[in-house]
Amino acid sequence: MQTGLSQRRYRAEWGKSTLEKLCNFVRFCAVLILRFFVASGDDIHLSESVGDCRVRTVKNYSYPYLTFVTLSVLGGIFLFIWWRNDVYRITYLYSFTTNCLVSVSVVLSVFVSLCLLKKNLVDRSKFIGVTSYLKFFSGMCLLTWMILFTLLVTLIYFLPGEDSFYSAPYEYSRGSSKSCSGAFVDDPDLQKTIFICYPYGDYQDGNVIYVKKRVNALGAVVTYAYATSGRFRFD
């Protein structure tokens, strides 16, 4: 029992520290983008740590500009919610597509990092030792991967492809407050286990799931899934 509590406590602390690092990196990227577009370089200061950034002064912008920024942020939030619920949940990548994505992200991060350092968008005098550069490069890899992953999943979702059908046994998952309930099933085309959120039918008590998907060169999009304990026929 003590071991289980220790493991849960360790996971909670690890998740909290990881979330804090991610939030600090997002703030760093936001300030970096502002410094890139703002004409005066004295308005924004980046310190040595990747997440530790401070805005010295704030410019007074007009109300139309602030309205545009506010609407843009709200539109981005709603767009992300739509992408997460309607695109990301039903789109799956091939294994070789994922490997290519990681490789391209690393190579692109090297060029972006060197470009930022060369143009003095990051104050190199604040970097102490190799560790600071490694943190900066690691954060840039993560940001590049997130952007490319979002674009690639969206591309797979909108690309045309051939319809594919299969049936297979599945394992039911109850989900949680942060994840949906659904079914784990082995996909024969993707050659890996995928998770399908909220399939039709009685997926809590069924034992077979029937899947219809659209397959293209980069991945697959599940367009319909029905779980049942008997036989089912696609129309």
Side-chain angles (χ1 to χ4, degrees):
M1 179 63 68
Q2 186 66 26
T3 303
L5 292 175
S6 301
Q7 291 180 352
R8 287 195 292 269
R9 188 179 298 110
Y10 171 77
R11 292 176 182 175
E13 293 176 354
W14 181 85
K16 183 178 179 181
S17 61
T18 304
L19 182 61
E20 291 177 352
K21 291 180 181 179
L22 181 61
C23 292
N24 289 334
F25 179 71
V26 170
R27 290 191 330 187
F28 169 79
C29 294
V31 175
L32 186 64
I33 293 173
L34 286 175
R35 184 173 184 180
F36 183 79
F37 287 102
V38 173
S40 177
D42 296 333
D43 292 333
I44 297 175
H45 171 70
L46 300 179
S47 66
E48 60 175 333
S49 179
V50 171
D52 184 13
C53 53
R54 299 181 296 273
V55 180
R56 289 180 174 178
T57 59
V58 179
K59 285 191 172 183
N60 294 324
Y61 294 102
S62 61
Y63 283 106
Y65 177 79
L66 294 178
T67 303
F68 171 76
V69 172
T70 302
L71 294 178
S72 299
V73 172
L74 292 177
I77 293 175
F78 283 112
L79 185 62
F80 173 77
I81 294 175
W82 167 81
W83 179 85
R84 180 178 179 274
N85 293 334
D86 295 342
V87 178
Y88 170 72
R89 284 184 176 179
I90 63 174
T91 306
Y92 306 91
L93 281 66
Y94 287 119
S95 297
F96 76 89
T97 305
T98 304
N99 295 334
C100 292
L101 175 63
V102 174
S103 302
V104 173
S105 299
V106 173
V107 174
L108 188 60
S109 298
V110 173
F111 287 101
V112 173
S113 301
L114 293 177
C115 182
L116 292 176
L117 293 173
K118 184 177 181 180
K119 291 185 177 181
N120 294 325
L121 294 176
V122 179
D123 191 1
R124 286 182 292 180
S125 62
K126 300 295 183 178
F127 285 75
I128 301 177
V130 182
T131 306
S132 300
Y133 288 94
L134 291 178
K135 290 181 178 179
F136 176 75
F137 176 71
S138 300
M140 193 58 61
C141 286
L142 178 62
L143 179 63
T144 305
W145 180 85
M146 291 173 61
I147 295 175
L148 293 180
F149 178 78
T150 303
L151 296 177
L152 183 60
V153 170
T154 307
L155 178 63
I156 295 174
Y157 177 80
F158 285 107
L159 277 178
E162 299 181 355
D163 290 335
S164 176
F165 309 88
Y166 71 89
S167 61
Y170 69 92
E171 180 180 351
Y172 167 69
S173 176
R174 298 181 58 182
S176 63
S177 59
K178 297 182 180 180
S179 62
C180 59
S181 61
F184 285 100
V185 58
D186 294 331
D187 192 284
D189 296 324
L190 298 174
Q191 296 182 354
K192 64 180 182 181
T193 301
I194 64 174
F195 181 72
I196 301 177
C197 285
Y198 306 124
Y200 291 99
D202 187 13
Y203 62 90
Q204 298 182 5
D205 300 323
N207 53 18
V208 178
I209 189 169
Y210 297 82
V211 180
K212 176 183 179 182
K213 61 183 181 180
R214 185 176 68 251
V215 181
N216 52 55
L218 300 176
V221 179
V222 174
T223 57
Y224 186 81
Y226 186 88
T228 180
S229 57
R231 295 183 177 181
F232 177 78
R233 179 180 179 181
F234 284 103
D235 294 331

